[in-house]
Amino acid sequence: MYDEPLLFEIGSPGRRAVALPSDDLPPEVELPAFEPELARPSLEGLPELSELEVVRHFTRLSQWNFSIATNFYPLGSCTMKYNPIVNEWAARLTGHQNVHPMWPDQLTQGALALMFELEQMLAEVSGMDAVTLTPAAGAQGEFVGIKMVRAYHEQNGNPRKTVLIPASAHGTNPASSVLCGYRCVEVPVGGDGLMHIADVEARLDDDVAAVMVTNPNTLGLFERDIRAIADAVHARGGLVYIDGANMNALCGVTRPGDVGADVLHINLHKTFSTPHGGGGPGAGPVCVKKNLAPFLPVPRVLQTDNGFKLSEDAPLSIGRVRTFHGNFGMLVRAYTYMLGLGGDGIARMTERAVLNANYLRRKLEPLLTLAQTAPCMHECVFTDQGLADTGVKTMDVAKRLLDFGFHAPTIYFPLVVSGAMMIEPTESESRETLDAFAGAIARIVAEARKDPELLKTAPHTTRVRRLDETRAARRPVLRWRPAAPVATEPVVALELKEPDPEPALDRS
Ligand SMILES: *Cc1c(COP(=O)(O)O)cnc(C)c1O
């Protein structure tokens, strides 16, 4: 256990990581003066530390992290799979690392070729015609996709008014639609957890701009009616958005483009093994059919007789959606990953992800209550229903798992399941790890019957116990020191002075 102060609280005035010789420059060299607004009169307020202090500080902090590199991380919907080290090697190659987005095309042919080929590989795997790599996250990809839907309808004279979204959709879907000026109409899911064509048809009219379907849905189930639903929506002039964030369940087995998608986004930081978390750079490429290609954001990577070039020449484009061309380092990692696996390897990746999820589903079925008993895709969803008589809730199970060295699953999501635990093992994990996880769940269920208080007060082995997570996210207090070396109190929330005026967040 560490009690790590802030960088600002350690060190000593004048302490430095490197000491440069002061007489390095011949006297005749005159350094240009700084622009006055760039000059800093003194270093006051900045931490002054030795290199070793800096290294120790960050190494210690890194050891507090829970990460895929250290522990099993079955966070449903997030696909916390292994990110192969070779991806990092490729991203760090000098040419990849130092390429600058403002260099002229003739100096960046390799980078442009990589982007062009990655677009083609994603188009192939999704069954779509054209791709933009620019969006920085899945949610931004959705925004870009729905914006193109709107541009398409506007081009046809009427932007239309509504987007149909099933109750089992990911929470970002309605948010993206509303940001693009649409009203969302919820389509209920049936008792089998699926969206049914009759429920879609009952809500379908000429004001429907699109149906937006998370497939597989947040219950981990493949939407079996998807093609019929797509046909019905197309027949009324609407478009079909498939949320492909969870392509890990589909790649190499089926393609959204073949079941009627006009537009979908893909999360490279899920399916294609680029790191996520920490708010770090992600990538949410958007794939479209030909009908939407003219609306793709600029710049586009084009192949010409003289090599590749970036083009802004797209009169119907929705424009730029971020600076430059996306998070290039992520594109290199995903490209490396896809080449490493090859077409067959990508199909095996999917099959094993689905196999692992179903293995856990069957192992946990006698212990927890399944939300749906049908075979699942890449993840399975349980509830705390079977523990109701013990008073132990999903939150208590999730917290106790930390004591056994496992990251908690996604909890209380999807919203259509009360007390949901959404478990996604991914294909990376060995049978031994899955068995160990199932063993921990078995022990927790036994504890719930014998000593529920133990679970209500878990976790017991972590630095802090239960934080007010909503407030900690919204009003972070970054400086805190426990009174004793080992803190057991939720210090983050306790340091807040005023009550939070904002409503509680839906954390999904
Ligand atoms: C993760 C996810 C998103 C959002 O992606 P971000 O990169 O987190 O913005 C959207 N839809 C589904 C189904 C997801 O699983």
Side-chain angles (χ1 to χ4, degrees), residues 361-383:
R361 180 177 65 84
R362 291 305 295 270
K363 287 240 33 148
L364 300 182
E365 201 174 355
L367 302 167
L368 297 168
T369 315
L370 269 173
Q372 290 293 337
T373 49
C376 60
M377 303 287 290
H378 62 303
E379 63 195 359
C380 48
V381 181
F382 289 88
T383 80

Side-chain angles (χ1 to χ4, degrees), residues 36-54:
E37 66 271 25
L38 294 180
R40 197 193 284 273
S42 82
L43 289 182
E44 202 184 331
L46 287 178
E48 299 180 64
L49 305 153
S50 72
E51 184 169 330
L52 179 57
E53 284 172 309
V54 174

Side-chain angles (χ1 to χ4, degrees), residues 51 73 93 105 166 362 377 444 501 507:
E51 184 169 330
Y73 208 132
L93 288 174
D105 292 345
R362 291 305 295 270
M377 303 287 290
I444 290 170
R507 293 186 52 252

Side-chain angles (χ1 to χ4, degrees), residues 297-499:
V298 288
R300 308 273 310 122
V301 187
L302 302 182
Q303 189 172 29
T304 71
D305 292 341
N306 305 321
F308 298 96
K309 69 168 193 175
L310 283 173
S311 166
E312 305 258 350
D313 180 22
L316 294 179
S317 165
I318 61 164
R320 267 181 184 273
V321 296
R322 73 188 301 282
T323 47
F324 303 119
H325 347 299
N327 286 323
F328 182 69
M330 295 301 127
L331 308 181
V332 176
R333 287 171 175 88
Y335 178 84
T336 307
Y337 182 69
M338 292 182 86
L339 284 190
L341 286 186
D344 291 346
I346 285 176
R348 273 205 303 283
M349 155 196 109
T350 297
E351 287 161 6
R352 287 179 189 179
V354 172
L355 180 65
N356 270 1
N358 280 288
Y359 181 77
L360 262 192
R361 180 177 65 84
R362 291 305 295 270
K363 287 240 33 148
L364 300 182
E365 201 174 355
L367 302 167
L368 297 168
T369 315
L370 269 173
Q372 290 293 337
T373 49
C376 60
M377 303 287 290
H378 62 303
E379 63 195 359
C380 48
V381 181
F382 289 88
T383 80
D384 55 6
Q385 216 177 299
L387 299 174
D389 56 322
T390 67
V392 166
K393 301 248 187 300
T394 287
M395 179 64 85
D396 308 318
V397 175
K399 292 293 181 191
R400 184 67 174 141
L401 274 170
L402 303 178
D403 286 335
F404 296 113
F406 296 111
H407 195 282
T410 294
I411 54 172
Y412 298 107
F413 185 81
L415 303 178
V416 286
V417 175
S418 147
M421 293 172 234
M422 187 195 215
I423 301 174
E424 180 179 10
T426 83
E427 71 283 5
S428 310
E429 300 296 338
S430 67
R431 184 170 172 178
E432 290 79 8
T433 301
L434 302 183
D435 287 343
F437 179 75
I441 294 280
R443 185 156 153 200
I444 290 170
V445 169
E447 286 172 350
R449 310 237 166 266
K450 248 192 326 235
D451 186 6
E453 203 45 35
L454 183 68
L455 301 189
K456 295 254 143 220
T457 49
H460 301 278
T461 57
T462 53
R463 184 176 172 79
V464 290
R465 286 194 174 165
R466 299 202 184 193
L467 305 178
D468 179 336
E469 293 166 7
T470 305
R471 277 209 232 166
R474 292 211 148 186
R475 311 263 307 270
V477 176
L478 297 178
R479 190 210 166 283
W480 64 278
R481 259 186 208 270
V486 177
T488 53
E489 295 301 319
V491 187
V492 171
L494 283 181
E495 280 208 7
L496 288 170
K497 305 232 164 32
E498 308 149 41

